[in-house]
Amino acid sequence: MKATRIFSLFLLLASLCWLASSPQLNARALANLPSAEASSSDSSLPNSKGGFARATSPEPGAPESGSIREVIDDRYKVRYQTWKNEFLSTDIGRAQWEMYAHHPRLVLTITIAENNPNGAATGRYKWNSNGELIAATIVLGRQVDQGYPSSVYYPVMNALEPFESKQLIGGSVLAATKIAHEFGHVMKISGTPESLYRLQVQLVPVYNKIFLSNGYDTSDPRLEELARKMGGNPVEIWEDREYWGEANAMLFLRDRVAKERFHCKLFNKIKRTVEEYAKGYEERFAEIAKSQGASYSCSWR
């Protein structure tokens, strides 16, 4: 019973954040929760009209094929280049960057903002008339090389903290890991049907309204039906996206620390956190740890 009350309270807090950003799916609002402090998470940023955009034809001046657009203020160009170089120092980082730099249709914009200085967000999604994602924006905080999010939903980024405090890694590794996390969000949304994404946008406020009026009862048949249609309740949808972001962050770290003496300690720390807070998602992390792409023999144990 106590666990149920705790979950209901958490769902209430998460739902309030959803309501605050409606009609957008704005997981960034959850950064206000204790479990997501200073986090790097996925959010859907509003377009100029305050909603999601569906482009049925190219915008004026838009390229016919995809690319990466780096819109970086002069104040941040030096630090941004350091973070980017760190990301590109790995095989997986270079491969993902090249994938979007030469994508057949998706334009990925990367920029830096003043708000949420230690975090990052991904959004401003656009689809074409075929339901294909053609635009997304990653917004990095101006101090994204600082600040460690909670281990609850960010087991990979959080695991780096003791290694930086021991001066085994620098802040640029943290920044690059957050960039990898955001690339994971783009890949996740690229593989999500537009119809499902828009259905979630439509039904989450409905779910929240019922949840706030029924005494926070998640077993309400109306909520169960909405969750079935959406593919989960608002918290489940959000955490699934965050753990995909973390899985991609782990891919980056797999390559980045492959030759470091502490790589097994880092992976074992991630494993312990995943087992404690994300047991249902363990397999996606275990597959990365066991992947043949790793140039070392550190087991997921």
Side-chain angles (χ1 to χ4, degrees):
M1 182 65 70
K2 181 179 180 181
T4 301
R5 287 198 300 269
I6 292 174
F7 174 77
S8 295
L9 178 59
F10 180 77
L11 187 54
L12 169 62
L13 292 172
S15 295
L16 287 172
C17 290
W18 280 84
L19 282 171
S21 59
S22 181
Q24 293 87 338
L25 292 177
N26 189 356
R28 169 59 49 218
L30 285 166
N32 294 323
L33 295 177
S35 61
E37 185 178 359
S39 67
S40 172
S41 67
D42 170 47
S43 68
S44 294
L45 306 173
N47 61 20
S48 59
K49 296 181 180 179
F52 295 104
R54 177 188 177 117
T56 56
S57 61
E59 296 179 355
E64 295 181 358
S65 61
S67 63
I68 295 179
R69 293 178 176 176
E70 298 166 272
V71 184
I72 310 298
D73 188 279
D74 288 342
R75 293 173 294 171
Y76 308 127
K77 283 185 176 179
V78 173
R79 69 182 72 173
Y80 169 74
Q81 192 61 47
T82 300
W83 305 336
K84 175 183 173 181
N85 290 345
E86 187 71 66
F87 182 66
L88 296 179
S89 70
T90 63
D91 289 341
I92 191 65
R94 290 191 298 273
Q96 292 184 1
W97 190 275
E98 286 299 307
M99 177 177 67
Y100 288 113
H102 301 96
H103 198 280
R105 61 182 177 276
L106 176 62
V107 175
L108 176 60
T109 300
I110 302 176
T111 189
I112 293 179
E114 288 285 335
N115 62 325
N116 192 28
N118 300 145
T122 302
R124 290 180 186 160
Y125 303 117
K126 295 182 181 180
W127 290 265
N128 61 19
S129 58
N130 296 321
E132 298 169 321
L133 189 68
I134 62 170
T137 296
I138 292 175
V139 181
L140 304 175
R142 57 185 172 81
Q143 295 177 325
V144 76
D145 54 352
Q146 302 175 31
Y148 290 87
S150 166
S151 60
V152 178
Y153 286 109
Y154 305 95
V156 177
M157 289 188 284
N158 179 269
L160 289 171
E161 186 170 14
F163 299 96
E164 183 178 3
S165 64
K166 295 178 182 178
Q167 298 184 332
L168 295 174
I169 63 169
S172 61
V173 175
L174 174 62
T177 304
K178 291 180 180 179
I179 291 173
H181 178 102
E182 300 307 320
F183 267 67
H185 284 313
V186 176
M187 287 185 281
K188 170 64 176 174
I189 296 299
S190 294
T192 300
E194 179 194 4
S195 58
L196 175 60
Y197 189 84
R198 290 183 177 279
L199 183 65
Q200 291 171 344
V201 173
Q202 176 186 358
L203 295 184
V204 162
V206 178
Y207 186 105
N208 292 336
K209 185 176 180 179
I210 295 173
F211 177 70
L212 293 171
S213 64
N214 74 352
Y216 319 136
D217 181 11
T218 58
S219 64
D220 187 316
R222 296 172 295 173
L223 296 185
E224 291 180 342
E225 176 62 16
L226 287 171
R228 184 190 65 78
K229 291 180 179 179
M230 293 189 295
N233 65 46
V235 171
E236 291 168 338
I237 294 169
W238 176 72
E239 69 180 8
D240 180 61
R241 291 179 183 173
E242 292 310 310
Y243 287 136
W244 276 122
E246 283 296 88
N248 199 57
M250 187 172 175
L251 273 174
F252 165 74
L253 286 180
R254 180 202 65 187
D255 287 359
R256 176 59 179 80
V257 303
K259 297 179 181 180
E260 301 289 351
R261 290 184 296 176
F262 60 83
H263 65 260
C264 281
K265 290 183 178 179
L266 174 62
F267 270 42
N268 287 335
K269 188 176 190 304
I270 295 171
K271 181 179 186 295
R272 290 193 299 271
T273 303
V274 168
E275 287 179 336
E276 183 174 359
Y277 298 113
K279 189 66 177 178
Y281 300 89
E282 182 178 11
E283 189 59 29
R284 69 180 64 170
F285 295 98
E287 286 302 313
I288 295 170
K290 298 173 183 176
S291 65
Q292 295 179 353
S295 60
Y296 51 82
S297 58
C298 182
S299 63
W300 183 259
R301 61 181 183 271

PDB file of all heavy atoms in Angstrom, residues 148-179:
ATOM      1  N   TYR A 148      25.332  16.868 -12.514  1.00  0.00           N
ATOM      2  CA  TYR A 148      24.991  15.465 -12.719  1.00  0.00           C
ATOM      3  C   TYR A 148      23.541  15.217 -12.336  1.00  0.00           C
ATOM      4  O   TYR A 148      23.130  15.537 -11.218  1.00  0.00           O
ATOM      5  CB  TYR A 148      25.915  14.567 -11.889  1.00  0.00           C
ATOM      6  CG  TYR A 148      27.324  14.554 -12.418  1.00  0.00           C
ATOM      7  CD1 TYR A 148      28.245  15.523 -12.007  1.00  0.00           C
ATOM      8  CD2 TYR A 148      27.724  13.616 -13.354  1.00  0.00           C
ATOM      9  CE1 TYR A 148      29.532  15.536 -12.517  1.00  0.00           C
ATOM     10  CE2 TYR A 148      29.012  13.615 -13.857  1.00  0.00           C
ATOM     11  CZ  TYR A 148      29.913  14.572 -13.440  1.00  0.00           C
ATOM     12  OH  TYR A 148      31.175  14.583 -13.952  1.00  0.00           O
ATOM     13  N   PRO A 149      22.749  14.656 -13.242  1.00  0.00           N
ATOM     14  CA  PRO A 149      21.351  14.369 -12.917  1.00  0.00           C
ATOM     15  C   PRO A 149      21.233  13.191 -11.963  1.00  0.00           C
ATOM     16  O   PRO A 149      22.197  12.460 -11.721  1.00  0.00           O
ATOM     17  CB  PRO A 149      20.740  14.037 -14.277  1.00  0.00           C
ATOM     18  CG  PRO A 149      21.884  13.490 -15.072  1.00  0.00           C
ATOM     19  CD  PRO A 149      23.086  14.281 -14.624  1.00  0.00           C
ATOM     20  N   SER A 150      20.047  12.995 -11.448  1.00  0.00           N
ATOM     21  CA  SER A 150      19.781  11.909 -10.507  1.00  0.00           C
ATOM     22  C   SER A 150      20.033  10.549 -11.138  1.00  0.00           C
ATOM     23  O   SER A 150      19.837  10.349 -12.346  1.00  0.00           O
ATOM     24  CB  SER A 150      18.325  11.994 -10.028  1.00  0.00           C
ATOM     25  OG  SER A 150      17.937  10.812  -9.377  1.00  0.00           O
ATOM     26  N   SER A 151      20.430   9.603 -10.316  1.00  0.00           N
ATOM     27  CA  SER A 151      20.672   8.243 -10.802  1.00  0.00           C
ATOM     28  C   SER A 151      19.383   7.507 -11.146  1.00  0.00           C
ATOM     29  O   SER A 151      19.413   6.512 -11.866  1.00  0.00           O
ATOM     30  CB  SER A 151      21.442   7.442  -9.747  1.00  0.00           C
ATOM     31  OG  SER A 151      20.702   7.368  -8.539  1.00  0.00           O
ATOM     32  N   VAL A 152      18.242   7.983 -10.659  1.00  0.00           N
ATOM     33  CA  VAL A 152      16.984   7.256 -10.837  1.00  0.00           C
ATOM     34  C   VAL A 152      16.646   7.075 -12.309  1.00  0.00           C
ATOM     35  O   VAL A 152      16.343   5.978 -12.768  1.00  0.00           O
ATOM     36  CB  VAL A 152      15.829   7.966 -10.112  1.00  0.00           C
ATOM     37  CG1 VAL A 152      14.518   7.229 -10.348  1.00  0.00           C
ATOM     38  CG2 VAL A 152      16.115   8.050  -8.616  1.00  0.00           C
ATOM     39  N   TYR A 153      16.690   8.154 -13.074  1.00  0.00           N
ATOM     40  CA  TYR A 153      16.375   8.066 -14.495  1.00  0.00           C
ATOM     41  C   TYR A 153      17.590   8.296 -15.386  1.00  0.00           C
ATOM     42  O   TYR A 153      17.482   8.201 -16.605  1.00  0.00           O
ATOM     43  CB  TYR A 153      15.278   9.077 -14.858  1.00  0.00           C
ATOM     44  CG  TYR A 153      13.921   8.649 -14.350  1.00  0.00           C
ATOM     45  CD1 TYR A 153      13.313   9.316 -13.299  1.00  0.00           C
ATOM     46  CD2 TYR A 153      13.268   7.555 -14.912  1.00  0.00           C
ATOM     47  CE1 TYR A 153      12.075   8.911 -12.814  1.00  0.00           C
ATOM     48  CE2 TYR A 153      12.031   7.138 -14.442  1.00  0.00           C
ATOM     49  CZ  TYR A 153      11.440   7.821 -13.393  1.00  0.00           C
ATOM     50  OH  TYR A 153      10.216   7.413 -12.925  1.00  0.00           O
ATOM     51  N   TYR A 154      18.725   8.576 -14.781  1.00  0.00           N
ATOM     52  CA  TYR A 154      19.920   8.865 -15.563  1.00  0.00           C
ATOM     53  C   TYR A 154      21.104   8.055 -15.025  1.00  0.00           C
ATOM     54  O   TYR A 154      22.094   8.613 -14.549  1.00  0.00           O
ATOM     55  CB  TYR A 154      20.204  10.371 -15.543  1.00  0.00           C
ATOM     56  CG  TYR A 154      19.006  11.156 -16.017  1.00  0.00           C
ATOM     57  CD1 TYR A 154      18.086  11.674 -15.099  1.00  0.00           C
ATOM     58  CD2 TYR A 154      18.755  11.322 -17.367  1.00  0.00           C
ATOM     59  CE1 TYR A 154      16.954  12.350 -15.532  1.00  0.00           C
ATOM     60  CE2 TYR A 154      17.626  11.997 -17.810  1.00  0.00           C
ATOM     61  CZ  TYR A 154      16.733  12.509 -16.887  1.00  0.00           C
ATOM     62  OH  TYR A 154      15.606  13.167 -17.326  1.00  0.00           O
ATOM     63  N   PRO A 155      21.016   6.721 -15.085  1.00  0.00           N
ATOM     64  CA  PRO A 155      22.061   5.879 -14.489  1.00  0.00           C
ATOM     65  C   PRO A 155      23.415   6.008 -15.168  1.00  0.00           C
ATOM     66  O   PRO A 155      24.444   5.775 -14.526  1.00  0.00           O
ATOM     67  CB  PRO A 155      21.498   4.461 -14.665  1.00  0.00           C
ATOM     68  CG  PRO A 155      20.567   4.562 -15.834  1.00  0.00           C
ATOM     69  CD  PRO A 155      19.953   5.921 -15.718  1.00  0.00           C
ATOM     70  N   VAL A 156      23.440   6.395 -16.433  1.00  0.00           N
ATOM     71  CA  VAL A 156      24.699   6.499 -17.164  1.00  0.00           C
ATOM     72  C   VAL A 156      25.392   7.816 -16.855  1.00  0.00           C
ATOM     73  O   VAL A 156      26.555   7.838 -16.438  1.00  0.00           O
ATOM     74  CB  VAL A 156      24.461   6.350 -18.679  1.00  0.00           C
ATOM     75  CG1 VAL A 156      25.772   6.522 -19.441  1.00  0.00           C
ATOM     76  CG2 VAL A 156      23.843   4.987 -18.990  1.00  0.00           C
ATOM     77  N   MET A 157      24.698   8.918 -17.043  1.00  0.00           N
ATOM     78  CA  MET A 157      25.312  10.223 -16.774  1.00  0.00           C
ATOM     79  C   MET A 157      25.690  10.358 -15.310  1.00  0.00           C
ATOM     80  O   MET A 157      26.759  10.877 -14.973  1.00  0.00           O
ATOM     81  CB  MET A 157      24.373  11.346 -17.199  1.00  0.00           C
ATOM     82  CG  MET A 157      24.230  11.476 -18.704  1.00  0.00           C
ATOM     83  SD  MET A 157      23.300  12.946 -19.214  1.00  0.00           S
ATOM     84  CE  MET A 157      21.622  12.439 -18.829  1.00  0.00           C
ATOM     85  N   ASN A 158      24.830   9.896 -14.418  1.00  0.00           N
ATOM     86  CA  ASN A 158      25.103   9.996 -12.992  1.00  0.00           C
ATOM     87  C   ASN A 158      26.339   9.190 -12.596  1.00  0.00           C
ATOM     88  O   ASN A 158      27.089   9.595 -11.696  1.00  0.00           O
ATOM     89  CB  ASN A 158      23.895   9.523 -12.188  1.00  0.00           C
ATOM     90  CG  ASN A 158      24.126   9.580 -10.704  1.00  0.00           C
ATOM     91  OD1 ASN A 158      24.571   8.606 -10.100  1.00  0.00           O
ATOM     92  ND2 ASN A 158      23.837  10.713 -10.088  1.00  0.00           N
ATOM     93  N   ALA A 159      26.565   8.071 -13.288  1.00  0.00           N
ATOM     94  CA  ALA A 159      27.687   7.192 -12.942  1.00  0.00           C
ATOM     95  C   ALA A 159      29.040   7.859 -13.148  1.00  0.00           C
ATOM     96  O   ALA A 159      30.049   7.425 -12.579  1.00  0.00           O
ATOM     97  CB  ALA A 159      27.607   5.908 -13.765  1.00  0.00           C
ATOM     98  N   LEU A 160      29.087   8.923 -13.934  1.00  0.00           N
ATOM     99  CA  LEU A 160      30.354   9.591 -14.220  1.00  0.00           C
ATOM    100  C   LEU A 160      30.859  10.441 -13.052  1.00  0.00           C
ATOM    101  O   LEU A 160      32.054  10.746 -12.977  1.00  0.00           O
ATOM    102  CB  LEU A 160      30.208  10.492 -15.451  1.00  0.00           C
ATOM    103  CG  LEU A 160      30.052   9.793 -16.801  1.00  0.00           C
ATOM    104  CD1 LEU A 160      29.698  10.818 -17.864  1.00  0.00           C
ATOM    105  CD2 LEU A 160      31.328   9.052 -17.166  1.00  0.00           C
ATOM    106  N   GLU A 161      29.962  10.819 -12.150  1.00  0.00           N
ATOM    107  CA  GLU A 161      30.314  11.799 -11.125  1.00  0.00           C
ATOM    108  C   GLU A 161      31.538  11.427 -10.304  1.00  0.00           C
ATOM    109  O   GLU A 161      32.461  12.244 -10.156  1.00  0.00           O
ATOM    110  CB  GLU A 161      29.122  12.064 -10.213  1.00  0.00           C
ATOM    111  CG  GLU A 161      29.381  13.172  -9.214  1.00  0.00           C
ATOM    112  CD  GLU A 161      28.121  13.590  -8.476  1.00  0.00           C
ATOM    113  OE1 GLU A 161      27.114  12.856  -8.530  1.00  0.00           O
ATOM    114  OE2 GLU A 161      28.143  14.657  -7.844  1.00  0.00           O
ATOM    115  N   PRO A 162      31.623  10.219  -9.735  1.00  0.00           N
ATOM    116  CA  PRO A 162      32.809   9.918  -8.918  1.00  0.00           C
ATOM    117  C   PRO A 162      34.098   9.881  -9.726  1.00  0.00           C
ATOM    118  O   PRO A 162      35.180  10.136  -9.181  1.00  0.00           O
ATOM    119  CB  PRO A 162      32.483   8.544  -8.322  1.00  0.00           C
ATOM    120  CG  PRO A 162      31.473   7.948  -9.252  1.00  0.00           C
ATOM    121  CD  PRO A 162      30.660   9.106  -9.739  1.00  0.00           C
ATOM    122  N   PHE A 163      34.000   9.609 -11.018  1.00  0.00           N
ATOM    123  CA  PHE A 163      35.212   9.543 -11.843  1.00  0.00           C
ATOM    124  C   PHE A 163      35.714  10.933 -12.202  1.00  0.00           C
ATOM    125  O   PHE A 163      36.916  11.131 -12.368  1.00  0.00           O
ATOM    126  CB  PHE A 163      34.931   8.707 -13.101  1.00  0.00           C
ATOM    127  CG  PHE A 163      34.539   7.293 -12.788  1.00  0.00           C
ATOM    128  CD1 PHE A 163      33.203   6.923 -12.724  1.00  0.00           C
ATOM    129  CD2 PHE A 163      35.501   6.334 -12.512  1.00  0.00           C
ATOM    130  CE1 PHE A 163      32.831   5.626 -12.414  1.00  0.00           C
ATOM    131  CE2 PHE A 163      35.155   5.037 -12.196  1.00  0.00           C
ATOM    132  CZ  PHE A 163      33.813   4.681 -12.136  1.00  0.00           C
ATOM    133  N   GLU A 164      34.816  11.901 -12.283  1.00  0.00           N
ATOM    134  CA  GLU A 164      35.257  13.276 -12.490  1.00  0.00           C
ATOM    135  C   GLU A 164      35.847  13.833 -11.197  1.00  0.00           C
ATOM    136  O   GLU A 164      36.855  14.536 -11.210  1.00  0.00           O
ATOM    137  CB  GLU A 164      34.122  14.179 -12.958  1.00  0.00           C
ATOM    138  CG  GLU A 164      34.610  15.598 -13.234  1.00  0.00           C
ATOM    139  CD  GLU A 164      33.523  16.520 -13.754  1.00  0.00           C
ATOM    140  OE1 GLU A 164      32.370  16.088 -13.862  1.00  0.00           O
ATOM    141  OE2 GLU A 164      33.838  17.686 -14.047  1.00  0.00           O
ATOM    142  N   SER A 165      35.214  13.490 -10.068  1.00  0.00           N
ATOM    143  CA  SER A 165      35.726  13.997  -8.791  1.00  0.00           C
ATOM    144  C   SER A 165      37.122  13.463  -8.501  1.00  0.00           C
ATOM    145  O   SER A 165      37.909  14.106  -7.804  1.00  0.00           O
ATOM    146  CB  SER A 165      34.768  13.611  -7.653  1.00  0.00           C
ATOM    147  OG  SER A 165      34.703  12.201  -7.497  1.00  0.00           O
ATOM    148  N   LYS A 166      37.455  12.301  -9.077  1.00  0.00           N
ATOM    149  CA  LYS A 166      38.795  11.736  -8.928  1.00  0.00           C
ATOM    150  C   LYS A 166      39.715  12.167 -10.059  1.00  0.00           C
ATOM    151  O   LYS A 166      40.831  11.661 -10.202  1.00  0.00           O
ATOM    152  CB  LYS A 166      38.711  10.205  -8.887  1.00  0.00           C
ATOM    153  CG  LYS A 166      37.972   9.663  -7.670  1.00  0.00           C
ATOM    154  CD  LYS A 166      37.886   8.148  -7.718  1.00  0.00           C
ATOM    155  CE  LYS A 166      37.102   7.606  -6.524  1.00  0.00           C
ATOM    156  NZ  LYS A 166      36.967   6.118  -6.578  1.00  0.00           N
ATOM    157  N   GLN A 167      39.214  13.079 -10.891  1.00  0.00           N
ATOM    158  CA  GLN A 167      39.959  13.650 -12.012  1.00  0.00           C
ATOM    159  C   GLN A 167      40.381  12.591 -13.028  1.00  0.00           C
ATOM    160  O   GLN A 167      41.425  12.711 -13.680  1.00  0.00           O
ATOM    161  CB  GLN A 167      41.184  14.420 -11.496  1.00  0.00           C
ATOM    162  CG  GLN A 167      40.815  15.602 -10.610  1.00  0.00           C
ATOM    163  CD  GLN A 167      42.015  16.412 -10.171  1.00  0.00           C
ATOM    164  OE1 GLN A 167      43.126  15.903 -10.050  1.00  0.00           O
ATOM    165  NE2 GLN A 167      41.802  17.690  -9.932  1.00  0.00           N
ATOM    166  N   LEU A 168      39.546  11.573 -13.197  1.00  0.00           N
ATOM    167  CA  LEU A 168      39.800  10.554 -14.210  1.00  0.00           C
ATOM    168  C   LEU A 168      39.175  10.944 -15.545  1.00  0.00           C
ATOM    169  O   LEU A 168      39.576  10.437 -16.596  1.00  0.00           O
ATOM    170  CB  LEU A 168      39.242   9.203 -13.745  1.00  0.00           C
ATOM    171  CG  LEU A 168      39.921   8.613 -12.504  1.00  0.00           C
ATOM    172  CD1 LEU A 168      39.192   7.355 -12.041  1.00  0.00           C
ATOM    173  CD2 LEU A 168      41.390   8.301 -12.807  1.00  0.00           C
ATOM    174  N   ILE A 169      38.181  11.801 -15.499  1.00  0.00           N
ATOM    175  CA  ILE A 169      37.580  12.358 -16.709  1.00  0.00           C
ATOM    176  C   ILE A 169      37.360  13.858 -16.492  1.00  0.00           C
ATOM    177  O   ILE A 169      37.403  14.333 -15.355  1.00  0.00           O
ATOM    178  CB  ILE A 169      36.237  11.690 -17.054  1.00  0.00           C
ATOM    179  CG1 ILE A 169      35.213  11.950 -15.937  1.00  0.00           C
ATOM    180  CG2 ILE A 169      36.404  10.206 -17.322  1.00  0.00           C
ATOM    181  CD1 ILE A 169      33.801  11.563 -16.298  1.00  0.00           C
ATOM    182  N   GLY A 170      37.112  14.582 -17.574  1.00  0.00           N
ATOM    183  CA  GLY A 170      36.854  16.011 -17.464  1.00  0.00           C
ATOM    184  C   GLY A 170      35.407  16.331 -17.787  1.00  0.00           C
ATOM    185  O   GLY A 170      34.623  15.467 -18.190  1.00  0.00           O
ATOM    186  N   GLY A 171      35.063  17.595 -17.640  1.00  0.00           N
ATOM    187  CA  GLY A 171      33.701  18.017 -17.897  1.00  0.00           C
ATOM    188  C   GLY A 171      33.268  17.824 -19.339  1.00  0.00           C
ATOM    189  O   GLY A 171      32.077  17.657 -19.626  1.00  0.00           O
ATOM    190  N   SER A 172      34.230  17.830 -20.267  1.00  0.00           N
ATOM    191  CA  SER A 172      33.876  17.646 -21.669  1.00  0.00           C
ATOM    192  C   SER A 172      33.289  16.258 -21.919  1.00  0.00           C
ATOM    193  O   SER A 172      32.449  16.087 -22.812  1.00  0.00           O
ATOM    194  CB  SER A 172      35.101  17.862 -22.562  1.00  0.00           C
ATOM    195  OG  SER A 172      36.124  16.936 -22.266  1.00  0.00           O
ATOM    196  N   VAL A 173      33.714  15.265 -21.136  1.00  0.00           N
ATOM    197  CA  VAL A 173      33.146  13.918 -21.281  1.00  0.00           C
ATOM    198  C   VAL A 173      31.690  13.920 -20.848  1.00  0.00           C
ATOM    199  O   VAL A 173      30.833  13.311 -21.491  1.00  0.00           O
ATOM    200  CB  VAL A 173      33.956  12.886 -20.469  1.00  0.00           C
ATOM    201  CG1 VAL A 173      33.275  11.514 -20.520  1.00  0.00           C
ATOM    202  CG2 VAL A 173      35.368  12.792 -20.992  1.00  0.00           C
ATOM    203  N   LEU A 174      31.393  14.612 -19.756  1.00  0.00           N
ATOM    204  CA  LEU A 174      30.003  14.731 -19.309  1.00  0.00           C
ATOM    205  C   LEU A 174      29.163  15.427 -20.370  1.00  0.00           C
ATOM    206  O   LEU A 174      28.060  14.984 -20.694  1.00  0.00           O
ATOM    207  CB  LEU A 174      29.934  15.503 -17.994  1.00  0.00           C
ATOM    208  CG  LEU A 174      28.528  15.832 -17.472  1.00  0.00           C
ATOM    209  CD1 LEU A 174      27.747  14.553 -17.177  1.00  0.00           C
ATOM    210  CD2 LEU A 174      28.611  16.703 -16.228  1.00  0.00           C
ATOM    211  N   ALA A 175      29.684  16.514 -20.939  1.00  0.00           N
ATOM    212  CA  ALA A 175      28.948  17.243 -21.968  1.00  0.00           C
ATOM    213  C   ALA A 175      28.683  16.359 -23.181  1.00  0.00           C
ATOM    214  O   ALA A 175      27.569  16.335 -23.721  1.00  0.00           O
ATOM    215  CB  ALA A 175      29.729  18.488 -22.392  1.00  0.00           C
ATOM    216  N   ALA A 176      29.688  15.619 -23.613  1.00  0.00           N
ATOM    217  CA  ALA A 176      29.525  14.741 -24.768  1.00  0.00           C
ATOM    218  C   ALA A 176      28.542  13.614 -24.474  1.00  0.00           C
ATOM    219  O   ALA A 176      27.793  13.180 -25.357  1.00  0.00           O
ATOM    220  CB  ALA A 176      30.878  14.171 -25.183  1.00  0.00           C
ATOM    221  N   THR A 177      28.533  13.156 -23.235  1.00  0.00           N
ATOM    222  CA  THR A 177      27.576  12.112 -22.847  1.00  0.00           C
ATOM    223  C   THR A 177      26.157  12.648 -22.901  1.00  0.00           C
ATOM    224  O   THR A 177      25.217  11.953 -23.319  1.00  0.00           O
ATOM    225  CB  THR A 177      27.896  11.592 -21.434  1.00  0.00           C
ATOM    226  OG1 THR A 177      29.255  11.139 -21.389  1.00  0.00           O
ATOM    227  CG2 THR A 177      26.987  10.429 -21.061  1.00  0.00           C
ATOM    228  N   LYS A 178      25.970  13.901 -22.496  1.00  0.00           N
ATOM    229  CA  LYS A 178      24.647  14.524 -22.585  1.00  0.00           C
ATOM    230  C   LYS A 178      24.238  14.722 -24.041  1.00  0.00           C
ATOM    231  O   LYS A 178      23.062  14.564 -24.389  1.00  0.00           O
ATOM    232  CB  LYS A 178      24.640  15.849 -21.826  1.00  0.00           C
ATOM    233  CG  LYS A 178      24.741  15.691 -20.314  1.00  0.00           C
ATOM    234  CD  LYS A 178      24.742  17.035 -19.589  1.00  0.00           C
ATOM    235  CE  LYS A 178      24.845  16.859 -18.079  1.00  0.00           C
ATOM    236  NZ  LYS A 178      24.881  18.149 -17.358  1.00  0.00           N
ATOM    237  N   ILE A 179      25.199  15.055 -24.895  1.00  0.00           N
ATOM    238  CA  ILE A 179      24.901  15.170 -26.317  1.00  0.00           C
ATOM    239  C   ILE A 179      24.454  13.817 -26.863  1.00  0.00           C
ATOM    240  O   ILE A 179      23.480  13.723 -27.622  1.00  0.00           O
ATOM    241  CB  ILE A 179      26.130  15.690 -27.089  1.00  0.00           C
ATOM    242  CG1 ILE A 179      26.401  17.157 -26.717  1.00  0.00           C
ATOM    243  CG2 ILE A 179      25.932  15.546 -28.594  1.00  0.00           C
ATOM    244  CD1 ILE A 179      27.695  17.702 -27.294  1.00  0.00           C
TER     245      ILE A 179
END
